[in-house]
Amino acid sequence: QESIAKVQRGDDRFRAVSDNMPESLTLKDLDGRFMLVNKQFETWHGVHQDEVLGKTSAALPTLGSDEEVRTLNSQDERRVIETGRAVLFERLIRLNDGKQHWLRVSKYPVFDSEGNVTAIGTSAQDITEQRRLETLLHDAVESIPDGFALYDTDDRLALYNENFFKGREEIKDIVMLGMTYEEQLRAVEERGLREKYHRTGHMTVEERLRLHRNPGEPFEIGLPNGRELFITEFRTNAGGIGSIRTDITRLKIIEEE
């Protein structure tokens, strides 16, 4: 009796924790039947656990008619079972409020003492608001008329707009998110393009790196197509580096006249 009471107390504690999580949490057997759901899952899908335990996702009001999502979920769960590895993805799903929500989902294997997969756990976080803000940020950055790039505290490219490559289309397939500025410079140099794009007194990679890592006065560069750019680099409050490239070709023509 005492051991049974300990197990029940453990179950009660687990239920108390899982029911107070902001994320949705479920546990399914290898046939895709629910073994456990928490309160957030019940709220999102408009069900009580008694209505879904022992049943598949087809029993959910939110997913019962969405065959595409249910098929994708089944494929993900099958992959977890076959590989014994977790999968992470983002998916658009209609919840009980009738609205489409972006969920960040993690499906992971649950092993027994012998290392066999016995169940599939799923945790899901609503990232709809985060997605909305990301869309707003993307729109704002793409609306900047100048070229813009942001490097993080490790000097890796974290953000840029299409205008960042204006007049320099040849390097668009070289520069990628996650590259350090040094990797970017050396990759461009290996293509034999760096001298074309930096009319800065034959500046070496090391000199350009020093200028980039210690932002100071803005400077100008000339592109092989005749365009002139005004480069402004600055430190952000978080320790990253921002770079703005302003096309001053028309201004230069006016000055020469």
Side-chain angles (χ1 to χ4, degrees):
Q1 291 294 328
E2 184 179 348
S3 61
I4 294 175
K6 286 182 179 179
V7 171
Q8 289 176 337
R9 285 197 296 272
D11 288 345
D12 290 342
R13 292 193 189 101
F14 177 77
R15 183 72 189 183
V17 171
S18 65
D19 279 348
N20 285 280
M21 292 173 61
E23 296 87 7
S24 164
L25 179 67
T26 69
L27 188 67
K28 287 183 177 181
D29 64 21
L30 300 186
D31 293 319
R33 294 187 293 260
F34 289 105
M35 303 167 62
L36 178 149
V37 300
N38 71 347
K39 286 292 185 185
Q40 186 64 282
F41 178 88
E42 292 176 329
T43 299
W44 281 1
H45 297 281
V47 295
H48 187 271
Q49 63 172 342
D50 295 339
E51 300 175 78
V52 295
L53 294 184
K55 300 177 182 178
T56 68
S57 297
L60 298 175
T62 49
L63 297 182
S65 61
D66 197 333
E67 185 176 352
E68 180 180 357
V69 171
R70 285 192 287 110
T71 298
L72 290 173
N73 284 342
S74 296
Q75 291 172 348
D76 294 327
E77 290 164 6
R78 181 54 52 187
R79 188 159 69 250
V80 170
I81 295 171
E82 292 173 351
T83 65
R85 296 180 179 179
V87 295
L88 180 66
F89 55 88
E90 295 179 1
R91 188 159 292 159
L92 190 61
I93 295 177
R94 186 179 303 279
L95 297 182
N96 190 51
D97 61 4
K99 299 178 182 178
Q100 297 271 29
H101 291 252
W102 277 105
L103 302 183
R104 178 173 292 134
V105 182
S106 174
K107 289 185 178 290
Y108 49 89
V110 178
F111 300 99
D112 61 17
S113 59
E114 297 179 353
N116 300 309
V117 178
T118 59
I120 307 106
T122 300
S123 60
Q125 177 186 10
D126 191 335
I127 59 168
T128 306
E129 180 63 12
Q130 178 183 328
R131 277 280 196 142
R132 186 184 71 83
L133 294 176
E134 288 174 353
T135 299
L136 287 175
L137 175 61
H138 176 77
D139 182 59
V141 170
E142 287 299 332
S143 297
I144 298 174
D146 301 321
F148 173 78
L150 178 66
Y151 296 83
D152 64 18
T153 53
D154 295 321
D155 206 20
R156 295 185 180 278
L157 184 60
L159 184 69
Y160 63 85
N161 64 2
E162 283 299 311
N163 283 334
F164 184 66
F165 295 107
K166 190 174 181 179
R168 306 186 305 155
E169 285 76 14
E170 295 96 329
I171 70 171
K172 193 171 182 179
D173 66 324
I174 302 175
V175 179
M176 297 178 290
L177 291 175
M179 289 183 73
T180 65
Y181 188 70
E182 181 175 2
E183 290 171 339
Q184 176 182 322
L185 280 183
R186 296 194 185 282
V188 172
E189 186 171 47
E190 287 177 4
R191 283 276 189 96
L193 296 173
R194 193 171 166 276
E195 275 301 309
K196 286 178 62 180
Y197 290 109
H198 293 273
R199 196 177 66 214
T200 50
H202 302 289
M203 188 182 295
T204 66
V205 169
E206 288 70 25
E207 289 170 333
R208 180 65 186 96
L209 273 174
R210 189 160 52 250
L211 196 64
H212 171 77
R213 292 170 178 170
N214 301 279
E217 293 296 319
F219 57 93
E220 299 176 11
I221 64 171
L223 302 184
N225 59 11
R227 305 190 79 82
E228 300 277 346
L229 298 180
F230 187 71
I231 309 298
T232 304
E233 293 181 317
F234 55 91
R235 281 283 177 185
T236 68
N237 291 334
I241 298 174
S243 178
I244 298 176
R245 297 169 175 267
T246 306
D247 191 326
I248 57 171
T249 307
R250 185 179 298 276
L251 180 61
K252 283 290 186 180
I253 292 175
I254 293 174
E255 287 179 353
E256 292 175 0
E257 291 177 349

